[in-house]
Amino acid sequence: MGDSAAIMKLEEELTRRLARLQEQGLYRTLREVGSAQGPRLTLGNRTVLNFGSNDYLGLAGDPRVREAAAEAARHWGAGSGASRLVCGNLEPHVRLESALAEFKKTEAALTFSSGYTTAVGTLCALAGKDDIVILDKRAHACLVDGARLSGARLRVFAHNDLEDLEHILKWAADVRARRVQAGTAPPVILIVTESVFSMDGDTAPLRKIAGLKDAYDAWLLVDEAHATGLLGPAGAGLAAELDAHARIEVLMGTLGKALGSAGGFICGSRTLIDYLVNRARSFIFSTAPVPAAAAAAAAALELVRGPEGEELRLRLKQRVSQFQAALGRPNLEIPTAIVPLVLGPAEEAMRAAAELLEAGIYVPAIRYPAVARGAARLRITLSAAHSAEDVGQLAAAIRRLQLQPARDGS
Ligand SMILES: *Cc1c(COP(=O)(O)O)cnc(C)c1O
């Protein structure tokens, strides 16, 4: 059938596509790390300072968290053996979920293997092709993918722009009114945002968003991946800090950042959780997370909620203000562990990262599609495990390189 010369061989086609990424400065490679997560990393035969991890409180390497993982592996095995609904629902999963619900002050919680699958499974369960999902422009890729995969009509509001959000909500309310008039089922309107934005480190005005949500009878999902363990009373998150958590129907978080383990979770009403157990396909059709991950997260959560968590959050806050001051920037009203240095073109960010690495400091360059084109950056993350000297060294290297932050045009 047809001209065989026109049939693309996989190798040739993919080589062409990769070359194109290379031309655009968007080619990626894996780097092998020869040490556990911590303020220092072993890369090849060098030890470098690590400002790229999301292990914001240093709990991934904490001996008590490690021991909890090891003990769970010894007692419950390396794998869970089956999905949660078959026979993989082990005590460590159940115990972690009840601790998460208590932590976030909700009726119930459900954990997933990753934050990514949490978002995709939850969004697809909540919204379908007759519904409307409204996303912040800078929402994480997993939220975008979940919204797309749900088949719902997707609208994007300008980052943290309440006017734009309201404009879209008005449109959605119109769609709903017309459906009701026509006697068809009204659409669900679901607003989706993050509390601390992963690439910018800024925060969402959750109280105001919740106000709009109420005014337009929408639902609200907030991803607290970068706030859980870090902000709010006992590290419960930004929603708790702003006293908005009771107004958010779907509270999402991850276990792989400040909690030092792996996985994602949803906190909410018992009804929401029962519904997700029945409907979230990434939960149903996936082997339960390994017991070690659940036990490690539970141990980290206990530390986070206790006096030590308080101390770690305070130390992190001090490092962040030290660093912002060294860059000559004002501290944000709600300081977070993520400090972006937006440089613009992908090549600039890549070069800056290479120069810092040369100086013994690892900072990841973040490019499209993780951020908008032309808004490539160094994404610096600080940890309570960094010393003041570590942070001083980073600031000095940045000054020496005379990096010129671009205006963030994304
Ligand atoms: C990291 C991240 C996720 C994904 O979580 P994983 O557990 O890494 O899959 C989801 N949302 C946000 C905002 C994140 O930063």
Side-chain angles (χ1 to χ4, degrees):
M1 206 179 81
D3 176 2
S4 71
I7 294 172
M8 286 190 270
K9 294 261 189 296
L10 178 130
E11 289 301 315
E12 285 167 24
E13 173 59 15
L14 299 193
T15 304
R16 201 171 9 248
R17 292 184 196 178
L18 287 171
R20 177 111 190 81
L21 285 175
Q22 227 140 11
E23 282 160 27
Q24 297 171 315
L26 299 177
Y27 187 77
R28 288 156 160 85
T29 54
L30 288 167
R31 194 192 301 275
E32 183 177 334
V33 175
S35 58
Q37 284 304 309
R40 279 167 186 73
L41 285 182
T42 306
L43 292 177
N45 52 10
R46 299 175 68 200
T47 298
V48 298
L49 271 173
N50 175 16
F51 289 99
S53 166
N54 298 317
D55 178 28
Y56 301 121
L57 298 178
L59 294 178
D62 184 280
R64 292 156 295 182
V65 177
R66 289 185 192 212
E67 183 48 35
E71 174 53 27
R74 278 192 294 268
H75 190 273
W76 298 97
S80 294
S83 71
R84 295 277 300 277
L85 280 168
V86 177
C87 60
N89 185 36
L90 307 178
E91 191 246 28
H93 302 123
V94 177
R95 199 161 63 83
L96 171 61
E97 285 167 355
S98 88
L100 284 167
E102 204 183 286
F103 177 53
K104 296 274 185 179
K105 296 196 164 57
T106 56
E107 285 175 8
L110 190 68
T111 55
F112 294 69
S113 306
S114 74
Y116 186 95
T117 53
T118 304
V120 169
T122 301
L123 284 165
C124 289
L126 291 176
K129 69 174 177 40
D130 295 325
D131 300 319
I132 295 167
V133 175
I134 308 175
L135 267 176
D136 185 286
K137 175 97 166 74
R138 294 194 187 172
H140 191 269
C142 66
L143 300 167
V144 176
D145 292 359
R148 282 191 185 146
L149 204 59
S150 76
R153 287 173 86 172
L154 185 54
R155 290 288 182 277
V156 173
F157 64 100
H159 177 53
N160 277 347
D161 187 331
L162 296 163
E163 247 175 69
D164 197 27
L165 172 58
E166 181 155 26
H167 183 74
I168 296 169
L169 282 166
K170 282 197 172 117
W171 164 83
D174 264 2
V175 172
R176 175 146 62 190
R178 267 182 274 124
R179 291 247 194 103
V180 171
Q181 214 163 34
T184 51
V188 160
I189 302 170
L190 175 61
I191 303 170
V192 177
T193 191
E194 284 172 43
S195 64
V196 171
F197 285 84
S198 61
M199 295 300 147
D200 295 86
D202 60 341
T203 50
L206 293 182
R207 284 179 72 93
K208 290 184 176 139
I209 292 175
L212 285 173
K213 178 221 40 148
D214 289 336
Y216 288 88
D217 292 318
W219 301 348
L220 177 57
L221 181 154
V222 176
D223 181 354
E224 296 245 45
H226 299 278
T228 296
L230 303 172
L231 298 177
L238 181 67
E241 164 95 21
L242 301 177
D243 197 23
H245 68 283
R247 301 167 66 191
I248 298 168
E249 286 84 0
V250 191
L251 274 168
M252 176 181 154
T254 65
L255 306 171
K257 276 131 192 177
L259 292 173
S261 179
F265 63 87
I266 297 288
C267 287
S269 69
R270 183 76 252 169
T271 314
L272 170 68
I273 299 310
D274 289 346
Y275 178 74
L276 292 176
V277 167
N278 281 275
R279 283 310 216 186
R281 295 171 63 87
S282 64
F283 174 86
I284 299 168
F285 297 106
S286 190
T287 299
V290 298
L301 186 56
E302 212 175 298
L303 292 172
V304 155
R305 296 173 72 190
E308 207 169 321
E310 231 31 76
E311 231 168 82
L312 291 172
R313 283 186 284 279
L314 183 63
R315 197 169 321 146
L316 174 59
K317 224 179 190 170
Q318 289 166 344
R319 300 293 176 260
V320 172
S321 41
Q322 177 198 345
F323 185 56
Q324 295 281 22
L327 292 184
R329 292 183 182 182
N331 219 343
L332 297 177
E333 196 183 331
I334 303 176
T336 71
I338 304 161
V339 184
L341 218 61
V342 179
L343 296 172
E347 297 77 6
E348 292 281 319
M350 294 300 288
R351 195 176 60 219
E355 286 172 352
L356 282 173
L357 195 57
E358 194 74 17
I361 297 173
Y362 172 69
V363 172
I366 307 286
R367 300 164 276 172
Y368 178 84
V371 294
R373 286 186 199 275
R377 66 197 61 191
L378 296 177
R379 176 182 182 265
I380 296 159
T381 48
L382 301 174
S383 157
H386 286 124
S387 67
E389 292 73 44
D390 295 341
V391 174
Q393 218 174 310
L394 171 65
I398 287 172
R399 272 197 302 274
R400 244 188 346 265
L401 294 177
Q402 298 185 308
L403 298 176
Q404 290 300 324
R407 292 215 66 86
D408 181 356
S410 60

